[in-house]
Each structure stands twice: as structure tokens, then as C-alpha cells.
Amino acid sequence: MRRIARSIGVSVGCALLLAGCDDLLDTQPLGSLTEQTFYQTEKDFDAATLAPYSTLLNLTYDQFGRGWWNGFLQPDDDVQYRDPNGENDVFNWSPVDDDFAWVWENAYKGIMRANVVLDQLPKAKGFTDENNKPRYEGEAKFMRAYWYFLLARNWGNVPIITEVPRSVGATYVGNSQPGEVWDLIEADLEDAANKLPADYGSEKGRATKYSALALLGKVELYRAQWFNQPAKYQEAIQHFQQVLAGGFRLMDDYGDNFREATENNAESLFEIQATKGDNINAWGTTDTGGAAGHAWPIYVSPSCFYGTGGGCAPKAWGHGYGQIDITPGLQAEFEPGDPRKFYTMYSTGEDYGGVPYQINPITHQPELWSRTGSTPAKYNRPFDPNRYPENLSTNNLRIIRYADVLLMLAEAELLGNGNVARAAELVNQVRARARKTYEILHGTPAPADLLPDVPSTGAPLDWFRTHLMHERRVELALEGHRYDDLVRWHRAGLINIKTDIDFGTYPEANANWQEKHLLKPIPQGELDLNPNLQQNEGY
Amino acid sequence: MRCLVAALLGSLGLLLVQVQAAEAQHRVSGRVTSSAGEPLASVQVVVKGTTIGTLSDADGRYTLTARSAADTLVFSQVGYATQEVPIAGRAVVDAVLAPEAIELEEIVAIGYGEKRRVTLTESVGLVGEEEIRRVPVASPEVAIQGRVSGIQIQPESGVPGAPVAVRVRGVGTVGNTQPLFVIDGVPVGRGQNATSSPLATINPADIESISVLKDASAAAIYGVQAANGVVLIQTRRGRLGKPTIRYDGYVGVQNFPKRYEMLNSEQWFELAQESYDNFNRQFGYTPEDSEYRRLPDYLAANREALLSRNTDWHDVIAVENAPIMNHGLSVSGATDQVRYYVSGGLFQQDAIVRKWDLTRLSFRVNTDFRVTDRIRFGENFSISNQRVIRGQQNGFNGQLMPNALSLPPFFRYRDEDGSIPGNRYGYTGNQEFAAAGLTFGNEPALNQIVENIDRHTRVLGGLYGEVDLLPGLTLRSQGNIDYTATRDTRWNPSYTRDEIGLDRNDTNVEQRTDGYGLVWTNTLTYAGTFGSHNLNLVAGAEIQRSRWSGTQIEMTNFISTDPRFREVPAAGSDLLSPPAGWAGERAFVGFLGRASYNYAGRYLLTLSVRRDGASTFAPENRWGTFPAVSLGWRISEESFFDVPWISELKLRGSWGQLGNSTLPNDSYEYPHLFQVDITPDYGLNGETVVKAPAPRNFVNRDLVWETSETIDFGFESGLFDNAFTFAATYYRRDTKDFLVNLPLPKISGFPEGAPVNSGLVRNTGFEFEAGYNTVLPGRIGLSVTANLTTVKNRLVSLAEGIEEYAFVENQRTAVGYPIGYFYGYKTCGIYQTQAEADAAPLDMTLGGRKPQPGDVCFQDIHGRDKEGRLTNKPDGLITPDDRTYLGKSIPDYYYGLGVTATWGRFDLAALFTGVGGVQKYNQVRQRLESVVGGGANRLVAVLERWRPDRPSNRMPRATVDDPNDNDRFSDRWVEDADYFRLRNLQIGYTLPAGWLGTRETRVYLAATNLLTLTPYKGLDPEFTTSIDFVRSRNDRQIDAGRDTGNLPQPRIFQIGVSTTF
């Protein structure tokens, strides 16, 4: 009653030229939470810590490969853009490229979202137990480190922002000092490893202690090679060893790593969790209300090949845009009979949605769906002609898996300690699993000469190093590691990208490659807006 | 809000009802003549303060019985000055009526009051009811076009009910540039929302006048909402005299004023073949290469059969003689105690393409009651219902017209058996082409099978009460509600790729919104005369509060395809996505004051101030004060002024400040609060959907309203007894701290940028208005009015450290340039020879490729120095740096010219409007004039394409893939869009009074958009950018002037009648 009386009093008083009008103007936003109403309880932070993870979905939502795939997958020697004009593919890298800018933008968006959690956590008053706070801090720091690592290995000394900017001036941050961002990443991951739980019970998908340790080891391996700091190999080994003690194992079937039914399995350390979300509209990012999945299958499934007068794959419209092809180099990289090839690519002649791959169902002419005779199958096998929505996949993208950890540990042991025996033992675990996969796939025992173990003694170090590179390439093909691997090996002097790597059927790719391509150009829009930011050398 | 209503009712409760007593009777008769001595028929003769009255007969004679010999008679007739004559005991009272002096004696509505035009110190444009009735439009603001200087009106497109862009004296901000609309004293927003514009719901026949407050002095009384000017709309009220029944109606037909001509099938094939040949030749491909391009097998095999098929897609979508009609019936009248105006209207307009048909019903009651000599109250009440049935046009799926025109001519709209397009049981579409790589949706067919209906109901009305506290001192309290409810449904029946080229289930999206705005205004007005000192004071307070909310559900898999199941979805319908909802709230509080003083009608002064608070901003930044002053000197009233042929001369000038609190992005209300969006999702366990709330906005607590400061001065004159009038005004409008969404470095984590106050926009220009009235020999009355406005728009500064920003591709807002200018490459013809092409700069946007003969030459204008700064020296490379200014969407000048002639019972009126010094970006031509064959159809202009044997300097060579990117945004697509248009032409005939018992009946024939002279190659030079129906862009200049294929304004022929009983 008193409130009503007061309200009447204010209205009348205000209307008749008296005071108290500010009350009438104190309206609040409807339909959105504010700082005051959110970021208070454990439940709030359960939700809020997902925001930086959710940002991962922005990288891969687009069915034309915008962002991650066009900008970061294509420039390797495993795939090539179907159109010869693919600028990123042939190292015509430009500061005005949208794909680079998209990843840059979303990395910093993820960082901001992590920073918000770190900023609000100490202020939260609704926790039932203050001891519950560190875990949320660990999650936010893991994601912040993930994003900064992505930035550091692609753009070098990127600006560092560790607080939510509250003034326009605070957004004009310049390049960081050499090593500064790597220090931040390591510090965040060490802190995260200490604060994160080993698992979340039934709530899979959040970063665990082991996600943090595996990523930390990877960062240290990179640092050892990028900056020639051999001591970092030992730190990497130490952290990978902790992961090995965490109860992970390789799945018997290699294909389980790419099937929706076997997401978050015993081999998995961190995945992008894809789901329809509350909307099946896959045309926008989940930030804008779209679905919370990704668009890989439609991006890679073959479509029509325009050059030869038609000839389309089944369900070419809506299900496949055929944006990239597998290079002949990757096709040849697989050892004979390697079942991992089957899970990596579709190839000429096999059955595809009821017709032979590459055969035009209307003209029955052997016309091409792919310039190279092969398109990606990872995360997309079997081809599902009834997928709905056609442009959305809810299959998790695996970011760190145990096989990767084994191979990285092998690399650190080999290059850091020259320990061939240990490296061989680790690599052979991966090869043994591939043989098991053969048996599951074909229902027959693997032939004796299939993927034999590498010798644990006797092989020259050089040979072993080359083999390790080979093993990484086939085991982890199309999972987004390849160009990063090439860059760090080039920096460590193990290979020369320009001369040792064949980028495929577009010869200008090799011709165009220069040292500057070890880093990406900083988006021009950023340089235009931020007077304190300098472009990377060569752009 | 309940408390407001309670308070309002309380204050009205103070008003006491009194009844007046009757008196003795007195019979009187007489004759009414004009000042020329001719008898005047149909003059209303009314006993003042009563309903007693009569009309004069053809001889000018009348007889009536008054209440007493002391009564006063009121003689009135349209076109003559109303005269009051006391009976003073006489039995015969004759009257001589003088023709009403035009213009200068008008009463003009200004904010919270009105003024005689001669004593105005403010700059106000006025449009009267006759002018508003003349033009057949859905929305009344269009009627201002060409009538008043200083205001540019541009409908967004030619679809019925399209939003209208209104710009008062240039463009003041990069944010919302629409003026504030005020209907009968109630601020109702800016009319920028396509589906809820308060104006589109008004029946133009109900409007008595529209006043446009142009300068700060006139508008400052509206404070924080007035920076872009204010448009006051007054609806009709009853007039003293016998009740009048009035009917206005017209019916008409509408057509395309112009059409695009497309290639026929044979020309399509020729272009395709030439495109393939040129491409293969350029890259040296032979049939063995996988890159070799040739006609798809299906087309090659069926060429002869296809050549015989030529669908004219324009004819498929166009509706010939699309109907438009309007009917309005009103009853009005007044007695001493009551004035009333009651009306009903029906307006229907079909689009000139299939589907986009608008129907509006509107009702209005305006009444005023005199309770006692000191107490009055009254109400305005209107309700309207508008329904638009639309298809694909401007919808989410693109633009019907350009999409239809780009279909190859050998595609079919219907099957051979004539089955209805989209009928999933009969239609097979153009599937055979799909395998050949031609996969165009049959959009004209889609247009016929989808059904989107927007329903919009609006109630706008309220009560006021007035009490004369002391002689000259009046207290007025007015409370109003503006309530809208919309229900929009979007029905898409299932159609599959095999049928129509797309795959989709049955869906129905049902969106309902409601919103209300409450306004409570209290004013105290004092008017007094002390000798030669005339004083008018207004003080007041105003509270505004609005709230809106909406719900949307998307359903699919209906239990039946029967339309009735769309209305009430049956159990069994799935939700396509979860229901969505939204809501918002906003409040303003304002205190206002104005003092108008004049000494003997010679020296005029107006001071005004408003203090406003807006809920949009942080508490410490909420309040702003907006003062203004204006002065006038009527030199012609001075005793020393002795120029016989100058009957009126007034100098006037003003200075003042105005505010604008509309944020550049409406959805980010409350920029000072850290808000959290619940939109992003994330899946735990790879499937469980969890909300991942994320920060929504960059918090800017320092944000304040933008301020515009205006000065203007000029003179108004009347010559030869005001037969000739002329006025000229100079204005300068500086908008400071304008609200702009500043792009932030992405490292901030807020890629949407931040709302900030920054920069300065300056608009300067002149306004001229002239009028001439005369009677020519042969009793031909002639009246000519003309106006011209010039605009120079410049962005003087932007945020610190920022010189420009591009809000959309190809348009920029940069320091030293007008807002939203076109930015792209300049061309230099076509490379004619190999030698010329070899000498061309390397095109770095194409990876360093060189053009071929027949390719477009792009100019190398800029380079960069060692520090990487842009220079004006060519660097031998074509890079994005070579883009430059190509034109602007804000015109240098616009004008209107009205001519009215009367001869006996005939009248003729013509309105010309025009715009000069403006460019538009013709995106339709960019799309349809691309000389890339083998896909979409092209305009016949590509027949002039360059060939070695047939050089052309206008149209590049044909090739697939456009390797030289000839179609990139360049001056090829920016066209001069000046125009001179005969907007409306009417010929009317007035029937003698008494015909079929009528008082006055006029019948007329009219034509709209009969003639347009323009160099613009599109269908219509007059439009603003249209994105789609639900997201209007009439409020924004930064991306205005892009022709995306809007419908042109139709050419309308109409026949109409207006009659009174």
C-alpha cells in the first residue's frame, strides 16, 4: 500500500512540477540479466563459465567454412580449396581477409567472456561455499589460455587483455612483449591444472585437470621449438606424464573418435561440444540465436563439379558444398591398408549414398566431384543423406585426444632426450590401435605386414623424426593440427616448409610461401582502429 | 501506471458540470453577399453558442429564429473569412464576406499551443487539409512532400504502407534521423518501424493540418526528442454550424511506371557460350582440362527446345491495374457546448506485384465539451486496424522482383498442365535444370504459396480538461494512451526441392506483440494584453512511459494443411524452436516553459526552455536542458515603413539547442548497465543444451543525449496585398556529441562496438518559399507555390583518433564528407587492346593479375608512402586503397512546385517535386548487368558488351567467373538520381449546391507519378534503402540510397468524389 501511495505521490508530484521525478526514470532492462542479478551463485557460474566454451562454436558454424576452416585448415598440405582462387590456400594472405579476422575476433570474444568470469567471481556474494570458487576460476583460465594460445601461435605477440574493458580507451592495447603472452598462457594453465577437478561425473564437456595438463604440455612443446628452449621439453614431458597417469586410453576403434555416438570417450581430453541447442536454425552463430553445432559435413561433402557440364553428388544441394578436396599428398601419406585413411577421406569408386563416388547419377559419366578424387570423411562417415537440418552437425569436434598426447610426448622424448626407445613405445601404441581398427572395420585379422611397429632401437634419429611426423600427419589428419605442426618444425629447424612440403596441385602455393607465413597478418580493421597496434613483419 | 490514470481521473473530477438556461426567441432574416457584391449560396449562418443555424440559398438569402434579439450571428463559408454580426434587435441582418486572406492569417499549431502566422518567430512549415487529401497515400507524411521547404520525404519503396523517411534540414546524425511525430499533442515516436508506424494507421482524411517544427526555437519545447525536428499532426474537430456529413472517396488503378527488359532465351545462350569461350581462351583451357568450361550437357542437348520457351518474368509477377481505393465518411458539427467529429474510413491498396495488399479500417471520435464558461473537457479517440497480406517481396527470402528477373527465360513458372505453382501434388518445377547446375528457386511461385499476414491494431486516444483559473490563465491536463497490438503470421507450406528448388516443411511463425505509451501532460497557459504589450506564457510538465513486449512461436508439422489449422494450431504441431519473448521499457520526464511576447505585433520575441530526463542514460547523465530564443521584427508594421507594394515584411531569426536520446541501436537500451544475454547455448555431454549466458554490451556509463544547435535567420514578405509572398531562411544545424555505435578493436571482446557520444555533423543551407495568387482575365484564378531547400551536409569530426568508419560495405561516413557517401573504385572505360591491358596496373585485389582486353579499367588513384600512409600518388597497383568518393545519398537541393487554377466550376492542380545533386547505388543493375553468362538472366544492356569485332566503352566483355572482378563496386553502379516529377495532377469539377440535396460536391480525375524526368536507370529514383519488411531503414542515412530492387512508386490514375450534406 505504501509503495502504491508513494508511486502515486511521485507521479502527481512530478506532473505538477515538484520533485521526485528520478524515480520514474529508474526503469530496468526487461528480458536480460544484469551484473546485479547475475554472477552471484554457484548456479550462475555453472552457466557463466560456459560462455567462453560456447565461443568455440562460432569458429565452425559457417557452412562455407568461414573462419576456422578457410583460414586455418586450408593453408596446410592436407587439403586444398576446390576453387583455384582460394587465396588462403595459396598463401596470398591478406590483412583484409575475413577468415583470419573472424578467428581473431572470436578468440578475443572468448577471452572477454573468460575475463568476465574472473572479474565477477571474487565479487559474487551468493555462494553457499567459498571453496567452490576456485573451480570456476580454473575453467575460465583454461579457456583464456586456449584462446591466447590460438592467438599466439598464429599471430605472435598479440595484445594482452586480462580485464573487461570499461572505457573505449582501455581497448587500444598494443602488441605484447615477446614471450609475454606465452608466460600468461602457461601461468593460466598451471593455475587451472591445480584448481580443476579430474572429472565432472556425468557433466562431460568442461575442461578437466587433464585437459589443462595436456594443453600445458602442448604449449611447452611449442615453446621449446618456437624459441629454441630445450628445457621446455622437460616441462612438457612432465606434464604429459601426468596426463598418462590419468586413466585415459586409446579407443579400440579409431573411428570412435569421429562418431557422434562415442563422444567424450576414454580417449578424449577436450572436445567442442556440439548440439542443436534450442534452435535448429543453423544459419547463424549460437551467439545470435542459431544452433549450437557446426557445419563441417556440409562444408566438405561433395557437391557438383561445375567445370564439366554438371554432375552432382547425391543431395548435393543443402547437404554438400564440396568446398575442399584432399590433396594427393595426404592420400599417398597413408601406408597400404591403413584403416585411418577410410575414416579420413571418401575416394573414387566407393559407395556414396547409394551411387559410386564420383559418378554422375544422371548421365552415368565418370565426372568429378573433387579435383583430386577425394573429399574429407572425418566426422562425416557414413554419409547420411537424410541429415536434418542439412547444414548442421552435432558431432563433437575433438580438440585434444589421447593419441595426440602420446605423439607429442614421443616427440618431446625424442627431441628433448634423444630417447628413441620411449618414443617408439609411445608411437607403437598408436599404430597398434590402428591395426585393431582394421580388424573391427574388416572383421578379419590384420595382415602381418600392416602398420608394423617401428623399431625401438637401431633406427637413426633422423629417420625416427621423419616417421613421427608421418605418424602425426595420418593419425591427426584434418583435425586442425597440421599447419601448426609444420610451423613449429620449421621454426625448430627440423624442416623447411618451402622446400620439404608439397602443398598440392596449386603450384603457386609453394611459390608464394615465405617466412612471413609463419604468422598470420593482423586484421587490417584492427590496425585501423587501434593506433597502438603494429602489423606482423612482411604484411 | 495505474497511479497516473488515477491521478488524471482525479483531476478531471474537479470539473463541474453546469447547464445553461434557455431564453426568449427572435426571428431574423437577411442576405449574404461577397465583397464583390455577388450573392453567396450555402453560407452557414449560425446563432453563436447554439446549434441553431441555416444555410443561405442560391440568392444568398436566409431566415432563422434566434434565442433572443441580443444574440450574435456567425456567417461562415469555406474560402471566406468568418464574420460575427450582433443582431442588436434588428429583424434584417445582412452580411458581406471577404475572401479569406491566404497563408499569412493562418493559425499555426506549435508545440503546446498555437500562434497566428504573422507573429511567428519560429520556423514552422504548414500543410493544410486540402493538400493532404490530394495525394493517394497510405501514410500521411507523404503528403508533406514538395509542400514545405526544409523537409525531404522519401518513401522506402513503392509497396503499400512502406515506411517513409522524413529528413528535416539535412541529416543531423549517423544514428536515428527521423523527426518526432506528435498527434494531437501526444508524442508517438519516430515512425521508423515498418509494422507499427503510428502514422500509417491514420486516415489522411481525418487530418486538419500538419505542422513541421524546423528550427530549435519551435522544437525546443520537445527537448530531448526534438533534435531531428518535430512533426505535429492535428486531426479534425467539429466546426460551429449545422452538422456536416462528408464523404470522400476515390478508386484508382496502379501500374509500373517503367520496367526492366531482360534477355530472351536465344540471347541467354549466346551470352553463355561467349562467356565460356572467353574464359577458356583467357586461361588456355582445352576440353581435356577439368577447368574447361562449357554449356552443361542438358542445356546443350536441349537447346533448340529451350529456345522456343521465353517466360517474361516481369509479366509473371506484375499485376496490371492493381486497385487502390479509399472511402471516408465523417459527421461533424458543433454547438456552443459540444463540438464533435466522428469518422470512419476504409483504405485498400494492392501492390503492383502479386501479393502485398494492404487494407485499413479506421474510426475516430474527437469531441470537445464546454461545461461552464471556465471549464472544458474533451477527447480524441481513434482505432485502426491494418492488415497486409504479403509474399516474398522484401521478405526474408529476398527481393521478389530482381530474383524473378534473374530467372533464365526458359525456366517455367507453371507446368505444361497449368498446375498451380507450389502445389506439391502437381508441380514439378524446373528440376531438369538442377542437374545442369542451374538451381534457381522459382520465387514467383514461392511468392504465391507462402502467406504472410501482418495485422496491426492501434488505439490512440485520451482525455483532456481545461480550467480557466483567472482571466487569461488556463490549466490544462491531458492524458493519453497509445496502444498497439500486432499479430503477424508467416505461413510456409511444405515444398520440396523437387517441386520448387528448395526443401522445407510446413511452418507457421506466429508473432504477437503489444505495447503502450502513456503520456500525461499538464500545462498552465497565460495570455494577456497590456496596451500594446502582448504576452503568452506556457509552463508545464510531462511524463511519458512506454512498455512493449512480444512473443513468438514457430510451429511445424501441422495436423492438416487446411488453412483453419494455421489460425489455431492443433495438437500435433511441433515447435520448430522454443517460444521466444521480449520486452522493454522506457520513460521520459520533461518540464517546459515558453514565453512569447510581442509589442504591437511589431517586435516579436519567444523564449523557451525544456528540461528533460530520459531513462536511457545513467542517473547522473539523465537530465538535459534545452533552451531556445527567437526574434522577429515586422518592419511593415512600422510607421516609417512606407513602401506601398510591400504589404508584409518580417525579419526573423532563432538560436537554440535540441536533444536526441535515441540510441543508434534500439536493442541496446540502458548502455550504462552491464547486461547479460542468455542467448548462446552450449551442449554438455555433447547433447544436453545448456544456456551459456554471455555479456551483452560494452558498458558506457558516460553516455548522454546528443545535442544539436541550430541557428537560422531570414525574412518573410508579402507584396501587392500579399498576392505575392516570398520567404528566405538560412539555417545551420550542428549536431554535437552525436550518438554513434563506435566500432571497437575486436580485442575488446565486443565486436558490435560501443555506443558513444562523438563528433560533429554540420548541416547548412537555405530555404526559399514563394507564392503567387491572382485572377487572370476570363476569371481564371491562379495560385502558384514553390519552395526550394539546399543542404550541405558534412561530418566535421568523428571520435578521437578516427577519421572514418564503414558501417556497411561501399558506404562510408568520414570527416569532411557527407554522411554515408558511396566509396569504391573509379573506372576509366574498357581496355580496348592487348597493349592497353598489358600496360594496366597490377591488380592486387586479384592476386596481381592483369586485365584482358574488354575488361573494365579501374583507376590507380592512391599509393602509400614508406610509413604506410595513404598518398594521392598512384603506385602502379590496384589495391583497396584506390577506392574513393563516388557520390552521396543526401541531395544538394530539393524542391516542390504547386500550381492551382480555377475556372468557374473547374479546378486544376499540379504538384511537381524534384531533387538534385544526389546519387544512388543501383544494386539491381550491378546484379543483372553483370556480363557473366550461363546463370542468372541479364538485362538487355549486356547486348552492348565488348567484343574484339565490336568494341564498346560501356559494357565489358562476357566471361564466366568474372576474373577481373569487373562487377566490383565502382562508379559503374553509382548513378545520378536527380529527378523532376509530376507527382500529382488533378482536374476537378464542383457541382452546384443542392444537387441531390448536397451542399457541395466535387468530382475529380487525378494521376500520380505521371511523368518523371531522371537520368537514373533504375525503375524509380525515389526510395531509401530497404532491407526487408520487418527491419525498416528509413531512420538511417549511413546506408541509404541502395537500390536493392524495391518496387517503384506506382503510377496511379484515380477518380474521386467528395461531397458534403
Side-chain angles (χ1 to χ4, degrees), chain B residues 133 205 244-251 325-331 344 346 1000-1002 1004 1055-1061:
Chain B
R133 278 169 206 259
T244 302
I245 301 170
R246 179 175 177 124
Y247 167 79
D248 283 286
Y250 62 78
V251 293
M325 68 170 184
N326 188 41
H327 303 283
L329 190 63
S330 67
V331 180
L346 168 68
E1000 187 181 89
T1001 302
R1002 175 173 175 267
Y1004 63 93
I1055 177 164
V1057 61
S1058 53
T1059 180
T1060 51
F1061 297 90

Side-chain angles (χ1 to χ4, degrees), chain A residues 27 202 204 273 278 307 371 526, chain B residues 291-292 578 670 683 685 691:
Chain A
T27 56
S202 61
K204 289 186 170 34
Q273 307 289 314
D278 66 8
R371 287 175 190 273
E526 291 292 274
Chain B
E291 285 83 1
Y292 183 79
Y670 308 109
N685 294 320
K691 289 290 172 193

Side-chain angles (χ1 to χ4, degrees), chain B residues 345-674:
Chain B
L346 168 68
F347 175 75
Q348 269 187 319
Q349 186 180 10
D350 286 7
I352 50 178
V353 292
R354 288 165 189 272
K355 281 224 180 130
W356 197 284
D357 303 338
L358 182 148
T359 306
R360 180 180 63 217
L361 268 174
S362 56
F363 305 95
R364 170 174 296 277
V365 181
N366 289 350
T367 51
D368 303 275
F369 298 92
R370 213 170 79 107
V371 183
T372 70
D373 280 347
R374 291 175 46 210
I375 300 174
R376 296 167 295 278
F377 78 96
E379 42 112 23
N380 307 310
F381 177 81
S382 71
I383 180 165
S384 66
N385 176 269
Q386 179 174 296
R387 197 180 63 156
V388 178
I389 300 178
R390 56 194 175 90
Q392 297 282 89
Q393 172 68 23
N394 278 34
F396 290 109
N397 294 295
Q399 301 268 10
L400 175 63
M401 188 176 65
N403 287 356
L405 294 178
S406 57
L407 286 166
F410 45 81
F411 268 46
R412 291 186 309 274
Y413 171 49
R414 287 167 186 254
D415 254 357
E416 270 77 6
D417 64 1
S419 55
I420 300 160
N423 177 345
R424 64 183 313 181
Y425 308 109
Y427 188 69
T428 56
N430 294 288
Q431 185 200 10
E432 65 270 32
F433 299 106
L438 290 177
T439 51
F440 295 99
N442 185 347
E443 191 141 328
L446 288 177
N447 185 56
Q448 290 305 97
I449 63 173
V450 302
E451 192 156 282
N452 301 330
I453 305 179
D454 300 328
R455 305 164 188 82
H456 182 199
T457 302
R458 185 176 206 110
V459 178
L460 177 61
L463 291 171
Y464 74 87
E466 276 182 359
V467 184
D468 295 334
L469 301 173
L470 293 167
L473 183 67
T474 304
L475 172 68
R476 181 184 167 98
S477 183
Q478 179 171 353
N480 278 280
I481 187 163
D482 174 10
Y483 175 80
T484 53
T486 66
R487 174 173 173 238
D488 299 344
T489 51
R490 288 182 225 119
W491 166 259
N492 285 304
S494 60
Y495 40 88
T496 67
R497 178 175 309 117
D498 290 347
E499 289 162 347
I500 215 113
L502 288 168
D503 221 349
R504 196 176 271 178
N505 293 332
D506 268 3
T507 59
N508 189 33
V509 180
E510 173 107 21
Q511 189 186 88
R512 295 177 189 237
T513 67
D514 78 332
Y516 61 79
L518 291 170
V519 185
W520 186 20
T521 312
N522 291 298
T523 53
L524 201 56
T525 307
Y526 175 77
T529 299
F530 310 95
S532 295
H533 304 276
N534 299 296
L535 193 61
N536 187 302
L537 303 172
V538 181
E542 187 164 82
I543 302 173
Q544 279 186 59
R545 188 158 191 149
S546 52
R547 197 177 192 287
W548 58 92
S549 62
T551 313
Q552 176 172 304
I553 49 171
E554 300 178 22
M555 296 159 286
T556 185
N557 297 332
F558 287 79
I559 201 165
S560 161
T561 52
D562 190 305
R564 287 174 299 172
F565 282 85
R566 294 178 223 163
E567 290 289 308
V568 184
S573 310
D574 298 338
L575 290 183
L576 198 61
S577 57
W582 59 92
E585 205 173 12
R586 189 181 296 153
F588 292 103
V589 173
F591 302 104
L592 54 101
R594 179 176 56 212
S596 299
Y597 165 82
N598 75 67
Y599 177 78
R602 274 208 299 271
Y603 308 107
L604 318 167
L605 167 70
T606 305
L607 295 167
S608 68
V609 66
R610 176 148 176 160
R611 183 163 168 75
D612 256 338
S615 63
T616 303
F617 305 109
E620 65 271 24
N621 293 323
R622 241 166 221 169
W623 291 90
T625 304
F626 304 95
V629 58
S630 55
L631 294 161
W633 178 26
R634 291 178 69 198
I635 303 175
S636 50
E637 298 295 297
E638 295 284 0
S639 53
F640 62 78
F641 187 86
D642 189 23
V643 186
W645 50 275
I646 298 182
S647 40
E648 172 74 33
L649 179 63
K650 178 169 82 181
L651 300 183
R652 53 158 300 278
S654 75
W655 169 91
Q657 288 183 334
L658 302 167
N660 182 12
S661 63
T662 309
L663 295 178
N665 186 345
D666 266 351
S667 59
Y668 293 104
E669 192 79 21
Y670 308 109
H672 57 288
L673 297 178
F674 187 100

